[in-house]
Amino acid sequence: MMNIKKCILPVCLMILSIGITACKKNNGFNTVISGDTTKPLPVSNIKVDNFNGGANITYDLPNSPNLLYVLAKYKINDNTSRETKSSYYTDTVVVDGFAKEKAYEVTLYAVTRANVMSDPVTITVNPKTPVYSAVRPTLVLSADFSGVNVTGLNPLKKEIGIIMLSFNKNTGAMEIEDQYFTKSDKIDYSIRGFKSEERRFGVYVTDKWGNISDTLQKSLTPLFEEAMDKSKFNALNLNNDTPTDFGWAVPYLWDNKLDGNGWHTKFGEPLPFTCSFGIGKTYKLSRFVLYQRIGSGYTYNYGNPKEFSLWGTNSSSPQDIKLPVRAPEGTVIGNWVNLGNFVFPDPPSGNRPGATTSADEDFVKKGVSFKVPFQAPSVKYLRIAVATTWGNVAAAHLMEITPFGVAQ
């Protein structure tokens, strides 16, 4: 267990830096802007509304024209003390980050513009189960292609960290492999890059205050997967697929080149923008990596796909049918089945399309991986169907696709 605890240092350092930044935001409260050193009366008529991991504390402010803020001092665990301030414009202070569902003491002070504190008023809060602690029992570890997958539930949609570990033979310890932070209500995350041999994996949950759950550990054997042999791919050229233009054609999607030409549809064609191709033989797909068109303002812009679906068939005679713009996963139309619906992740910078940063460029240059649902059937032909693009233009374009899976 000691080795696992040592692994949390990067997380704790990150949390410490966040705490320091948060403290700086409150520096204005500490400025002495009055020579009136009269001691204020304490807050009164205090009420507590507990929630998961914290509490809202309401009160009546003292009748003091010199009042600046209310200060709450408390411990969130045995070692960590926190302070929260609320200006005199409000009657509520929020205390949060508590490690457990139990009683905690909170001490309140009224503070003047001369930084004079009132007598303390100590109350008890009883926070409900902290979110990180509530999420932990829902986690399930299972083998995935080239790694492991963790699923779980976060119904309150609060930010948590999912910390993935694996046993390192060289150090003889469980060490951090990845850190994933999310507010999503459903957790479905995989780490990859492992051989198909038994290994000890682990996962725990943390939050922005540095609280840490116990660690779920399990010995698992990652499923085998391989990158498909692109030399065996071939364009299908269905009449219902979107015509291409500008010398960009479907076969450029698997030429292993991220510059030059890719796939580009003709402008003004109806949705969805589609292309179809064979992958040489039947595969059970595990995932695929897409590469956007980048540079010259194209990153997260123009015809780069935003919402799209992947369809497949294992028939030796794929039907030439028009696909719908959207359909539920598993929908069968002719002999084509919807293998999954996907949304390209937002730019890491959070900037709007056309204003992306070098970090956004670096993110898409590496390719973005999309997991194919495990229940999807094996196929030997694929169709990409683009529903929306980042630039909301009447065409779509991509540079490369790299599918992974297991040959059947």
Side-chain angles (χ1 to χ4, degrees):
M1 191 64 181
M2 288 298 294
N3 288 327
I4 294 175
K5 294 295 184 181
K6 290 179 181 178
C7 294
I8 67 172
L9 181 57
V11 180
C12 293
L13 289 175
M14 177 194 70
I15 293 164
L16 179 60
S17 67
I18 294 173
I20 292 172
T21 303
C23 290
K24 289 181 178 178
K25 292 180 180 178
N26 289 328
N27 280 346
F29 285 121
N30 296 325
T31 303
V32 178
I33 55 178
S34 172
D36 182 356
T37 58
T38 303
K39 185 176 183 178
L41 293 172
V43 296
S44 58
N45 193 25
I46 299 169
K47 297 178 182 178
V48 176
D49 179 22
N50 297 296
F51 58 82
N52 294 86
N56 295 311
I57 303 173
T58 59
Y59 41 76
D60 290 341
L61 294 168
N63 186 16
S64 172
N66 203 28
L67 186 68
L68 182 60
Y69 62 88
V70 171
L71 171 66
K73 291 187 176 185
Y74 53 100
K75 278 192 171 185
I76 61 174
N77 54 46
D78 293 337
N79 302 311
T80 306
S81 296
R82 278 179 53 80
E83 293 185 358
T84 305
K85 298 174 182 178
S86 181
S87 81
Y88 67 94
Y89 290 111
T90 70
D91 64 352
T92 304
V93 64
V94 180
V95 293
D96 54 8
F98 294 105
K100 297 180 180 179
E101 182 179 6
K102 69 172 191 177
Y104 291 87
E105 287 189 346
V106 178
T107 303
L108 303 174
Y109 301 87
V111 185
T112 70
R113 296 176 184 274
N115 208 27
V116 178
M117 300 173 67
S118 71
D119 290 333
V121 178
T122 300
I123 63 167
T124 299
V125 299
N126 291 275
K128 299 176 183 178
T129 304
V131 173
Y132 82 96
S133 186
V135 170
R136 165 59 186 86
T138 73
L139 297 186
V140 176
L141 270 178
S142 57
D144 202 348
F145 289 99
S146 190
V148 293
N149 172 258
V150 59
T151 57
L153 299 175
N154 179 24
L156 294 177
K157 298 182 180 180
K158 300 295 184 181
E159 186 172 25
I160 54 169
I162 303 297
I163 314 301
M164 307 285 283
L165 311 106
S166 73
F167 182 77
N168 186 309
K169 292 181 179 178
N170 294 327
T171 63
M174 296 289 288
E175 297 188 351
I176 289 178
E177 292 289 348
D178 196 48
Q179 304 178 32
Y180 170 61
F181 293 86
T182 181
K183 291 182 179 179
S184 175
D185 59 338
K186 293 183 180 179
I187 299 160
D188 187 352
Y189 188 69
S190 296
I191 56 171
R192 305 185 190 279
F194 297 90
K195 295 180 179 179
S196 185
E197 55 187 36
E198 188 175 72
R199 190 185 186 113
R200 192 101 182 137
F201 292 92
V203 60
Y204 64 84
V205 187
T206 186
D207 62 21
K208 62 183 179 181
W209 297 281
N211 295 311
I212 298 168
S213 74
D214 64 315
T215 302
L216 170 64
Q217 295 192 47
K218 195 172 184 179
S219 291
L220 295 165
T221 302
L223 305 176
F224 175 79
E225 72 166 3
E226 62 182 346
M228 297 181 189
D229 183 356
K230 294 182 181 180
S231 69
K232 302 294 194 295
F233 287 15
N234 63 283
L236 195 51
N237 297 320
L238 298 178
N239 291 328
N240 275 295
D241 279 338
T242 310
T244 56
D245 207 348
F246 308 106
W248 289 41
V250 177
Y252 288 119
L253 277 175
W254 53 84
D255 65 355
N256 292 316
K257 296 179 181 179
L258 300 182
D259 52 8
N261 292 356
W263 168 63
H264 198 308
T265 67
K266 185 178 180 180
F267 274 92
E269 296 296 320
L271 291 170
F273 307 127
T274 63
C275 65
S276 307
F277 54 96
I279 52 179
K281 54 185 175 182
T282 299
Y283 278 92
K284 170 72 173 175
L285 269 72
S286 57
R287 60 189 173 105
F288 60 96
V289 180
L290 283 187
Y291 296 84
Q292 280 193 13
R293 184 181 185 182
I294 61 175
S296 302
Y298 282 102
T299 305
Y300 280 105
N301 207 0
Y302 295 104
N304 279 318
K306 183 176 183 180
E307 296 178 273
F308 64 97
S309 55
L310 186 69
W311 295 70
T313 180
N314 201 36
S315 171
S316 297
S317 302
Q319 292 179 321
D320 189 354
I321 59 173
K322 179 70 176 177
L323 293 178
V325 177
R326 291 179 176 84
E329 176 190 314
T331 297
V332 177
I333 299 178
N335 55 16
W336 291 94
V337 59
N338 182 322
L339 303 178
N341 299 309
F342 308 93
V343 178
F344 205 93
D346 291 338
S349 69
N351 288 3
R352 61 176 176 79
T356 49
T357 66
S358 59
D360 300 329
E361 291 267 343
D362 292 341
F363 175 69
V364 295
K365 279 180 182 178
K366 297 175 183 177
V368 176
S369 183
F370 297 89
K371 180 182 176 182
V372 176
F374 193 80
Q375 63 271 22
S378 299
V379 296
K380 57 184 174 183
Y381 291 93
L382 295 174
R383 295 185 83 178
I384 299 171
V386 179
T388 63
T389 63
W390 281 98
N392 291 314
V393 298
H397 48 63
L398 274 173
M399 293 308 298
E400 189 83 10
I401 181 171
T402 303
F404 292 79
V406 181
Q408 303 293 290

